[in-house]
Amino acid sequence: MIEYYSTEKKSPNVSFKEAIIKGLSPDRGLYMPNQIGKFNNKVFEAKTFYETAFEVAKILLDGAINDNDLYEIVKDSFNFPVPVKNVQGNIYVMELFCGPTAAFKDFGARFMARVLSYYLKQSNSKLTILVATSGDTGSAVAKGFYKVPNIDVVILYPKGKVSFLQEKQLTTLYENITALEVNGTFDDCQYMVKEAFVDDELNKKLTLSSANSINIGRLYPQSFYYVWAYKELKKITGAEKIICCTPSGNFGNLTGGLLAKKMGLPIEKFIAATNINDVVPEYLNTGIFNPRPSVETYSNAMDVGNPSNFARMLALYGSKEEMQKDIIGYKVTNDQTVKTIQKVYKDYGYILDPHGAVGYHSIEQFLAENKTDLPIVFLETAHPAKFGDVIKDAINIDVPVPEILQDALIKEKKSIEIDNHYNTLKEFLLNRKSI
Ligand SMILES: *Cc1c(COP(=O)(O)O)cnc(C)c1O
């Protein structure tokens, strides 16, 4: 059986079930599998996205859920298309925004919600999911867990720092979903959530779980679509190897790709694209990891000053030198983001969202320094309509909001405003009516 160790190495190993329920380990480390299986032919032969995902999930979970139930979980989680399209030359885009919240976090959130619900049903227990969000995580998690029995979701988001549409998505579900509007930054929200998980008094009264990208149940599904990208590009171009570019904030999305590579996916290189919150590209260039407060940008879901999955990246590679062989990092400014949106629309008719634009510009930086004939695919992590203001200013186009998101727009926002101190959160959690 695969066990899960903490990246801090100061807590005991746990099962997959425990790792997904706990989220963060007691020593504040992140859970990682102590064995990573290798891909078999079935992974490459599977036809649809969900069948591919099932074959990968089977290897990763190694029997933690029986095949029949896992198949149903995967099929229900990924019931939307995952298009891979050419933008120009050998640059391709994989559109990860076709799920119910129009962002890639649907993959992780939907899979995790179904796996958790499967385990809770078995033990008839209750759970509070606590999430800090810089925008998209919250809505994906909220939608993923909406009305799931025995689960209560509390979302913390930084007041005034998420887009209008993102806020609507967070605050208009009601039912088992509560939105806390924090007077502070995303880093404050993340800090408060992390404190809650290590607070003994609180954890005696509530079973808390995290659905942030630190949860292994969110990480795994983020490896599935790298396999899909490879298979689609092989069909289109015949290439045996690809290069992947991942716009990154907490680096869960990129770590999903690293995992796929460890399992045997032929990815020649990862391009880690960030906005000016470039802690990881800086580490890759200088060897110094220097977390710092985040700075606001147009690609706000990547405004992260202390990327939590960096611990997993280190666990996978062991040293900076090994990491540098696989990953190259670039940072992109707001100005470059806007110019890229303008250029790619004018020259190729493709509308990038600000996060995708950070990815695209990083590829341009990569190509200015490196020659390659391999297909390069970047992950479009959100639908451009979710960042309508930036797009409107850049190219003077009103991107129609996908139908799937329009519901939230007409509903009334319901949130509870709190300050950015951990004790305020604790009081709230202890005093609210239990589910
Ligand atoms: C969360 C998010 C990212 C960053 O993903 P990480 O896994 O945190 O690196 C990028 N783009 C969008 C739209 C997101 O919501």
Side-chain angles (χ1 to χ4, degrees):
M1 265 288 250
I2 295 177
E3 291 192 330
Y4 291 77
Y5 68 90
S6 159
T7 51
E8 289 295 309
K9 306 243 168 90
K10 293 188 207 95
S11 344
N13 287 5
V14 298
S15 65
F16 176 70
K17 178 179 171 180
E18 266 178 274
I20 199 173
I21 289 175
K22 280 208 175 91
L24 196 66
S25 90
D27 61 8
R28 301 190 186 209
L30 279 65
Y31 284 119
M32 280 295 275
N34 64 358
Q35 297 166 46
I36 296 171
K38 291 278 176 210
F39 288 154
N40 51 36
N41 285 343
K42 286 182 179 168
V43 171
F44 297 106
E45 285 160 8
K47 290 271 182 310
T48 62
F49 183 86
Y50 77 82
E51 285 163 338
T52 305
F54 172 62
E55 295 301 337
V56 178
K58 250 198 323 197
I59 299 169
L60 284 168
L61 266 62
D62 188 35
I65 297 178
N66 70 64
D67 285 359
N68 285 346
D69 287 321
L70 185 60
Y71 186 84
E72 291 308 318
I73 288 170
V74 166
K75 190 173 177 187
D76 190 45
S77 299
F78 311 118
N79 58 358
F80 48 86
V82 188
V84 176
K85 298 175 176 168
N86 182 251
V87 176
Q88 61 106 347
N90 62 342
I91 302 182
Y92 294 79
V93 57
M94 177 160 58
E95 295 179 341
L96 299 177
F97 54 67
C98 301
T101 69
F104 86 91
K105 292 196 174 69
D106 285 326
F107 289 83
R110 288 175 66 79
F111 179 77
M112 181 186 164
R114 282 152 187 78
V115 171
L116 264 183
S117 165
Y118 167 84
Y119 285 133
L120 289 172
K121 247 187 272 164
Q122 284 185 337
S123 61
N124 197 23
S125 45
K126 290 182 180 178
L127 200 64
T128 299
I129 304 270
L130 201 54
V131 194
T133 184
S134 53
D136 278 327
T137 315
S139 51
V141 168
K143 268 262 169 83
F145 285 94
Y146 184 52
K147 291 185 177 171
V148 172
N150 296 352
I151 300 183
D152 201 15
V153 181
V154 177
I155 300 168
L156 284 77
Y157 72 95
K159 181 180 167 72
K161 295 196 172 63
V162 302
S163 75
F164 176 73
L165 183 59
Q166 282 175 336
E167 184 172 39
K168 278 283 189 185
Q169 287 186 285
L170 294 174
T171 56
T172 58
L173 287 167
Y174 331 131
E175 303 274 347
N176 61 330
I177 316 291
T178 306
L180 298 180
E181 191 173 355
V182 177
N183 273 302
T185 62
F186 168 68
D187 289 337
D188 292 335
C189 298
Q190 186 149 275
Y191 173 79
M192 290 159 81
V193 166
K194 282 189 174 168
E195 283 300 299
F197 283 112
V198 294
D199 183 328
D200 289 337
E201 191 193 341
L202 188 65
N203 285 278
K204 271 189 198 117
K205 301 205 166 116
L206 293 174
T207 310
L208 290 180
S209 180
S210 149
N212 267 1
S213 52
I214 52 178
N215 195 300
I216 193 80
R218 290 239 342 249
L219 186 72
Y220 278 177
Q222 290 170 0
S223 65
F224 304 160
Y225 42 70
Y226 287 88
V227 185
W228 183 247
Y230 169 77
K231 291 185 2 173
E232 289 292 282
L233 287 176
K234 190 171 176 189
K235 252 193 268 171
I236 301 170
T237 70
E240 296 286 347
K241 273 188 171 182
I242 62 168
I243 295 172
C244 288
C245 171
T246 309
S248 296
N250 264 320
F251 282 80
N253 204 0
L254 185 85
T255 304
L258 302 178
L259 211 56
K261 175 158 185 177
K262 281 266 180 244
M263 298 177 82
L265 195 67
I267 297 181
E268 173 78 8
K269 203 78 172 172
F270 288 95
I271 301 172
T274 70
N275 56 36
I276 54 166
N277 296 285
D278 66 333
V279 173
V280 172
E282 184 182 89
Y283 169 81
L284 290 165
N285 289 324
T286 67
I288 298 164
F289 186 69
N290 178 28
R292 48 190 175 258
S294 61
V295 179
E296 269 180 67
T297 73
Y298 293 148
S299 46
N300 65 17
M302 309 197 300
D303 294 350
V304 180
N306 189 4
S308 47
N309 279 287
F310 182 70
R312 284 197 171 114
M313 294 168 68
L314 268 185
L316 281 170
Y317 285 102
S319 72
K320 181 195 65 164
E321 288 71 26
E322 285 305 304
M323 209 190 282
Q324 281 172 329
K325 286 183 197 161
D326 279 359
I327 314 170
I328 184 161
Y330 294 101
K331 79 165 168 189
V332 176
T333 64
N334 264 350
D335 188 47
Q336 290 168 326
T337 303
V338 171
K339 291 206 168 102
T340 302
I341 293 171
Q342 290 168 336
K343 185 184 131 190
V344 172
Y345 178 65
K346 184 165 157 281
D347 293 351
Y348 314 114
Y350 190 83
I351 301 179
L352 293 164
D353 101 293
H355 304 81
V358 166
Y360 192 92
H361 193 270
S362 296
I363 293 176
E364 288 185 322
Q365 293 183 61
F366 174 79
L367 288 175
E369 294 171 358
N370 300 275
K371 259 191 122 55
T372 182
D373 294 326
L374 295 179
I376 307 178
V377 62
F378 65 99
L379 312 190
E380 236 319 352
T381 51
H383 192 286
K386 298 188 86 168
F387 301 89
D389 301 351
V390 181
I391 307 300
K392 175 86 180 169
D393 285 351
I395 55 177
N396 199 26
I397 282 180
D398 290 299
V399 187
V401 174
E403 224 166 279
I404 205 154
L405 299 181
Q406 284 178 13
D407 258 14
L409 285 175
I410 49 173
K411 286 194 179 163
E412 185 201 345
K413 163 183 162 183
K414 280 189 192 160
S415 68
I416 299 171
E417 203 170 320
I418 65 169
D419 65 39
N420 60 353
H421 296 115
Y422 169 63
N423 270 334
T424 316
L425 173 65
K426 182 172 179 174
E427 290 288 301
F428 170 80
L429 291 171
L430 288 174
N431 294 331
R432 106 210 117 113
K433 267 185 263 143
S434 71
I435 49 169

